[in-house]
């Protein structure tokens, strides 16, 4: 059918075709644009989704510190090999942690919060107190409501709340309740080394022990403070000392393990003790550190010093003999507890092995009071032990050094020393003659050798640096120790020759003397027993109430560690046959300790070469006298107290005559 140009329908069709096509083309263009924009957004969202998946699922990123609330700790790092042990610290705490020599944490600060309120901003104090009680179970609701009702702008509600409690209180949405960050000191091992650790006050400042001594260091340096303690050894010593204390019903006890070459204290136990997390409720007796604060008469352990003094000054020799007959001083008598096996004259090895009091008094008189006091002063017995504990006590020593003092001090009476001082003195006699400085710091940690570190004196830092030099130490017997020998740092007190002889004397006391029960097979223990009568609260000695102690060294053929045990007022048992002396209680405790801690310290029993080592260390009880030498003994006894007393009286008479003549001369001058 043909369409005429003049047909109106044809005009309508042509019009639709032109305008509609243009409109349709415009719409199609808009659709394309919209699809392009939509596709662009889809692409952007896809990229963002992929990025989010990578950042949150595939490779999640740790949040920045500013994005984390103050009480949220850092995300822990994976440490399968334990390489981060001992270096644990939280970013929101300020006080550094304390660890032992192996990185075991002994003290650390945990994040806590203090919650307080502004009562002026509270709507209903009673309702607030009721809601807080649901979270803080120990809160006194009525008292808190009363305090929040007062016209104040600041009221503490609770201290040291946990992060979980802080979050729960914050979720209550109470206006006027605020938080401030804080930290609380925590001691994960509780009673272990409690007296050494001490504690901190409410303001996080140390008030006792290591916490007080190194207070500035712990607050200024976030690196952990490494102590010389080995908590494994500490635990073993504590267990054995506690068993002995219970077995012999002692009222107190202490145990010490110290490296005789470096002065590092590996263990220090004082019983009874307390939970370091509950310092405020501990009794004075539990807080009392018997190792450094307690002052006790050393008893026969001091005979080692008397012998060392006599040998070093050349006053006595190994072959000399000394009277064991009881000595009378006024109304007092110096005698031995049991002397039926004694000869009236004992050689020096017998004096040490049998622990004769009169013989030790004779040696002291041979040396003389002046040299004796000078010797003890040079050994540090007149001053507090220089250890990093503020509780270190000053010893009690006589003000006047008369004949009675010389004799009684010679066998460990008349002076009162802390156990650590005895350990230090024993170490000097066996380590080649060097007086080391006891320390609770790990000398292998470079951070502890910094002289500028707060709380560390330059003198102590110098000692640490000197002790780092490792050299060979000459010895007369083979060594069974695993680690390389080191040269002790400190002043020389004894010659190598005298120190070597003293080692053999101490070994003799365990093989043939009063310390037999201290023997530990393969460890070649040496040492000296010491039993002193305890002084009563009103003065005077208490009969049958003793301080029993044993100071030991192992291995004696190459001295590494000193082990000391003291029991305060032990009771007799059927096994001790009524005795309370150190050979029956303290010495066997040392034997048990040595057997347990030896492997921990990488020192293992050497039973294969036992006969050879013992033969090389053997010392006869009756040494031969060299030809042409007149030994001390019968007919040649300069230490006879009667002779000394006569000389003392003669000196006093001469002084009186001199004073009288001077007074007479002065009077004559005045008359003229």
């Amino acid at each position: 059918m043909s369409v005429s140009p003049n047909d109106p329908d044809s005009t309508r069709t042509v019009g639709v075709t032109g305008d509609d096509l243009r409109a349709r083309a415009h719409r199609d263009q808009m659709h394309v644009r919209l699809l392009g924009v939509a596709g662009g957004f889809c692409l952007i969202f896809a990229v963002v989704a992929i990025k989010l998946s990578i950042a949150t699922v595939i490779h999640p990123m740790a949040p920045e510190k500013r994005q984390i609330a103050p009480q949220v700790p850092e995300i822990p790092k994976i440490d399968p090999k334990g390489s981060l042990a001992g270096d644990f610290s939280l970013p929101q705490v300020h006080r550094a942690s304390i660890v032992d020599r192996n990185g075991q944490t002994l003290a650390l600060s945990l994040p806590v919060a203090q919650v307080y309120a502004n009562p002026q901003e509270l709507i209903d104090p009673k309702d607030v107190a009721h809601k807080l009680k649901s979270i803080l179970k120990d809160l006194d609701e009525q008292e808190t409501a009363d305090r929040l009702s007062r016209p104040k702008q600041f009221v503490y509600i609770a201290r040291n709340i946990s992060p979980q409690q802080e979050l729960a209180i914050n979720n209550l949405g109470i206006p006027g309740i605020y938080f401030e960050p804080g930290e609380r000191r925590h001691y994960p091992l509780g009673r272990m080394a409690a007296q050494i650790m001490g504690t901190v006050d409410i303001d996080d400042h140390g008030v006792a022990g290591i916490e007080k001594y190194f207070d500035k260091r712990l607050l200024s340096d976030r690196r952990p403070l490494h102590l010389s303690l080995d908590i494994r050894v500490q635990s073993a010593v504590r267990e054995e000392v506690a068993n002995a204390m219970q077995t012999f019903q002692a009222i107190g006890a202490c145990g010490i393990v110290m490296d005789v070459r470096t002065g590092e204290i590996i263990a220090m136990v004082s019983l009874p003790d307390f939970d370091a997390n509950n310092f405020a409720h501990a009794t004075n007796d539990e807080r009392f550190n018997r190792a450094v604060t307690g002052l006790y008469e050393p008893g026969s352990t001091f005979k080692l010093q008397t012998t060392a003094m006599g040998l070093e000054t050349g006053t006595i020799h190994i072959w000399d003999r000394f009277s064991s007959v009881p000595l009378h001083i006024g109304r007092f008598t110096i005698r031995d507890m049991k002397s039926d096996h004694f000869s009236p004259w004992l050689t020096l090895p017998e004096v040490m092995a049998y622990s004769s009091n009169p013989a030790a008094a004779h040696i002291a008189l041979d040396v003389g009071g002046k040299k004796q006091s000078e010797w003890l002063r040079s050994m540090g017995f007149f001053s507090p032990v220089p250890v990093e504990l503020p509780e270190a006590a000053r010893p009690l020593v006589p003000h006047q050094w008369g004949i009675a003092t010389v004799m009684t001090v010679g066998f460990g009476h008349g002076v009162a020393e802390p156990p650590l001082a005895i350990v230090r003195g024993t170490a000097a006699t066996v380590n080649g003659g060097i007086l080391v400085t006891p320390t609770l710091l790990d000398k292998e940690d470079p951070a502890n050798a910094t002289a500028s570190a707060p709380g560390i004196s330059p003198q102590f830092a110098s000692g640490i640096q000197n002790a780092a030099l490792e050299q060979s130490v000459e010895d007369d017997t083979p060594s069974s120790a695993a680690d390389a020998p080191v040269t002790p740092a400190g002043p020389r007190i004894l010659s190598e020759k005298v120190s070597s002889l003293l080692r053999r004397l101490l070994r003799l006391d365990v093989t043939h003397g009063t310390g037999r029960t201290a023997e530990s097979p393969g460890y070649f223990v040496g040492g000296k027993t010491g039993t002193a009568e305890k002084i009563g609260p009103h003065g005077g000695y208490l009969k049958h109430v003793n301080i029993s102690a044993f100071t030991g060294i192992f291995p004696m053929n190459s001295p590494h560690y000193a082990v000391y045990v003291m029991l305060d007022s032990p009771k007799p048992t059927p096994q001790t046959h009524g005795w309370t002396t150190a050979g029956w209680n303290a010495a066997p405790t040392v034997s048990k300790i040595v057997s347990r801690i030896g492997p921990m310290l990488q020192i293992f029993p050497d039973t294969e070469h036992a006969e050879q080592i013992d033969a090389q260390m053997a010392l006869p009880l009756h040494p031969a006298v060299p030809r042409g030498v007149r030994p001390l003994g019968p007919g040649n006894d300069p230490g006879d107290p009667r002779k000394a007393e006569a000389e003392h009286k003669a000196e006093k008479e001469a002084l009186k005559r001199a004073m009288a003549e001077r007074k007479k001369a002065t009077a004559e001058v005045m008359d003229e």
Side-chain angles (χ1 to χ4, degrees):
M1 178 178 176
S2 61
V3 179
S4 173
N6 296 324
D7 190 343
D9 290 336
S10 65
T11 304
R12 189 181 306 116
T13 304
V14 172
V16 169
T17 301
D19 292 340
D20 287 351
L21 288 175
R22 285 193 295 270
R24 185 176 300 169
H26 181 68
R27 287 195 301 271
D28 291 343
Q29 188 178 13
M30 291 296 295
H31 289 162
V32 171
R33 290 176 181 175
L34 288 174
L35 288 174
V37 172
F41 276 110
C42 289
L43 180 61
I44 292 173
F45 281 120
V47 172
V48 172
I50 293 173
K51 286 284 188 180
L52 288 175
S53 299
I54 294 174
T56 60
V57 179
I58 302 175
H59 296 292
M61 298 174 60
E64 297 182 9
K65 290 185 177 181
R66 61 183 177 83
Q67 297 174 307
I68 307 176
Q71 300 301 317
V72 180
E74 288 184 343
I75 297 174
K77 299 177 181 179
I78 298 176
D79 184 28
K81 295 183 178 180
S83 59
L84 299 178
D87 196 19
F88 176 77
S89 61
L90 299 172
Q92 64 274 32
V93 300
H94 301 90
R95 194 173 185 87
S97 59
I98 303 174
V99 299
D100 80 339
R101 67 189 306 112
N102 300 313
Q104 172 66 52
T105 301
L106 304 178
L108 76 161
S109 293
L110 300 175
V112 294
Q114 328 298 343
V115 56
Y116 64 94
N118 182 351
Q120 303 296 324
E121 300 177 5
L122 300 179
I123 299 174
D124 187 349
K126 290 186 178 180
D127 182 60
V128 171
H130 180 70
K131 290 180 178 179
L132 292 175
K133 174 68 175 179
S134 64
I135 299 172
L136 305 174
K137 303 301 182 183
D138 296 333
L139 191 70
D140 189 322
E141 183 176 343
Q142 184 59 45
E143 180 187 358
T144 302
D146 293 340
R147 294 172 61 230
L148 294 178
S149 301
R150 297 172 186 172
K152 294 184 176 182
Q153 293 184 344
F154 183 91
V155 172
Y156 261 123
I157 297 175
R159 290 179 177 270
N160 298 335
I161 65 173
S162 67
Q164 292 83 358
Q165 290 174 316
E166 179 187 3
L167 183 61
I169 295 174
N170 190 59
N171 288 338
L172 294 175
I174 304 174
I177 298 295
Y178 302 96
F179 305 92
E180 63 179 14
E183 55 190 78
R184 181 183 63 189
R185 204 64 166 166
H186 180 63
Y187 304 93
L189 301 183
R191 293 179 176 271
M192 204 63 62
Q195 293 100 340
I196 297 175
M197 303 312 302
T199 191
V200 298
D201 60 17
I202 195 171
D203 296 319
D204 210 35
H205 288 288
V207 295
I210 286 290
E211 296 278 20
K212 181 177 181 180
Y213 191 91
F214 290 105
D215 188 49
K216 292 182 179 179
R217 153 67 173 86
L218 292 169
L219 288 173
S220 62
D221 188 345
R222 287 177 53 80
R223 291 178 298 177
L225 179 65
H226 285 256
L227 300 186
S228 60
L229 296 177
D230 186 326
I231 211 62
R232 304 168 305 167
V233 178
Q234 178 83 10
S235 177
V237 173
R238 185 186 183 279
E239 184 176 336
E240 293 299 340
V241 172
N243 289 340
M245 181 176 169
Q246 181 179 9
T247 300
F248 301 106
Q249 303 175 46
I251 64 173
C254 82
I256 301 172
V257 178
M258 189 184 85
D259 191 322
V260 301
R261 306 158 301 168
T262 64
E264 291 173 294
I265 298 171
I266 311 301
M268 180 187 288
V269 173
S270 177
L271 297 176
D273 55 13
F274 61 96
D275 188 337
N277 297 296
N278 199 22
F279 183 89
H281 296 89
T283 65
N284 290 334
D285 190 40
E286 291 171 337
R287 296 180 186 178
F288 186 67
N289 190 341
R290 285 167 167 78
V292 297
T293 309
L295 299 176
Y296 309 95
E297 288 196 343
S300 294
T301 59
F302 230 47
K303 290 171 184 171
L304 173 60
Q305 297 301 323
T306 299
T307 301
M309 171 182 62
L311 291 171
E312 183 63 22
T313 58
T315 306
I316 63 173
H317 300 86
I318 193 69
W319 50 77
D320 290 331
R321 291 192 293 167
F322 307 92
S323 174
S324 63
V325 176
L327 295 172
H328 300 281
I329 309 175
R331 60 189 182 91
F332 299 102
T333 302
I334 298 176
R335 60 164 57 93
D336 292 310
M337 298 183 67
K338 187 179 180 182
S339 59
D340 55 358
H341 60 296
F342 288 177
S343 166
W345 292 88
L346 300 176
T347 62
L348 184 58
E350 289 178 313
V351 173
M352 288 290 288
Y354 303 150
S355 196
S356 173
N357 293 337
H362 277 272
I363 295 174
L365 287 172
D366 288 344
V367 175
K370 183 179 180 180
K371 289 183 178 180
Q372 184 187 49
S373 62
E374 290 175 350
W375 171 268
L376 297 180
R377 186 182 301 277
S378 68
M379 291 291 291
F381 288 116
F382 281 19
S383 305
V385 182
V387 68
E388 302 87 0
L389 289 175
E391 296 83 9
R394 180 171 292 277
L396 299 177
V397 296
H399 294 291
Q400 296 181 345
W401 219 267
I403 295 177
T405 298
V406 173
M407 288 191 287
T408 54
V409 170
F411 57 89
H413 287 66
V415 294
E417 299 283 342
L420 186 57
I422 304 302
V423 175
R424 185 192 189 197
T426 302
T429 62
V430 300
N431 68 4
I434 304 299
L435 186 66
V436 296
T437 300
T439 178
L440 283 163
L441 290 183
D442 181 7
K443 291 188 175 182
E444 294 183 0
D445 182 12
N448 290 340
T450 305
S452 60
I456 304 178
S457 66
Q459 179 182 3
F460 175 70
S462 175
I464 295 177
Q465 293 168 349
N466 291 336
L469 301 176
E470 296 191 359
Q471 300 175 352
S472 175
V473 176
E474 294 183 1
D475 201 354
D476 52 1
T477 54
S479 171
S480 61
D483 55 335
V486 297
T487 299
R492 176 167 292 281
I493 303 297
L494 292 164
S495 66
E496 282 275 5
K497 182 178 180 181
V498 171
S499 178
S500 177
L501 180 57
L502 290 171
R503 290 197 289 269
R504 299 171 71 183
L505 284 170
L506 290 174
R507 177 61 181 160
L508 183 69
D509 187 67
V510 173
T511 57
H512 292 82
T514 57
R516 288 186 179 91
T517 53
E519 179 69 301
S520 181
Y523 284 107
F524 312 104
V525 180
K528 186 71 191 75
T529 54
T531 306
E533 291 181 333
K534 193 172 180 180
I535 299 177
H538 306 292
Y541 290 101
L542 301 175
K543 294 296 182 183
H544 310 299
V545 182
N546 298 331
I547 297 293
S548 300
F550 185 86
T551 178
I553 303 290
F554 82 99
M556 207 67 238
N557 56 309
S558 180
H560 275 53
Y561 297 99
V563 181
Y564 177 94
V565 168
M566 183 275 292
L567 297 173
D568 186 348
S569 309
K571 304 294 189 299
T573 67
Q575 289 75 20
T576 66
H577 307 287
W579 291 93
T580 59
T581 51
W584 290 99
N585 44 49
T589 305
V590 168
S591 173
K592 295 176 183 178
I593 290 174
V594 170
S595 298
R596 288 188 62 178
I597 71 174
M600 298 178 188
L601 298 171
Q602 297 300 303
I603 298 180
F604 302 96
D606 187 354
T607 55
E608 182 180 353
H609 305 94
E611 292 186 6
Q612 175 190 357
I613 293 173
D614 275 331
Q616 290 176 336
M617 295 202 69
L619 191 67
L621 286 172
H622 299 89
V625 180
R627 182 175 299 179
V629 173
R630 185 188 181 191
L632 300 181
N636 184 24
D637 184 14
D640 188 339
R642 293 170 298 180
K643 180 179 179 181
E645 186 174 2
E647 292 177 353
H648 183 63
K649 287 183 178 179
E651 290 179 1
K652 290 179 65 176
E653 291 295 332
L655 182 60
K656 286 182 179 179
R657 286 195 299 270
M659 292 294 293
E661 292 176 358
R662 183 176 179 182
K663 186 176 181 181
K664 181 179 178 181
T666 303
E668 291 177 351
V669 171
M670 293 294 292
D671 291 341
E672 293 178 357

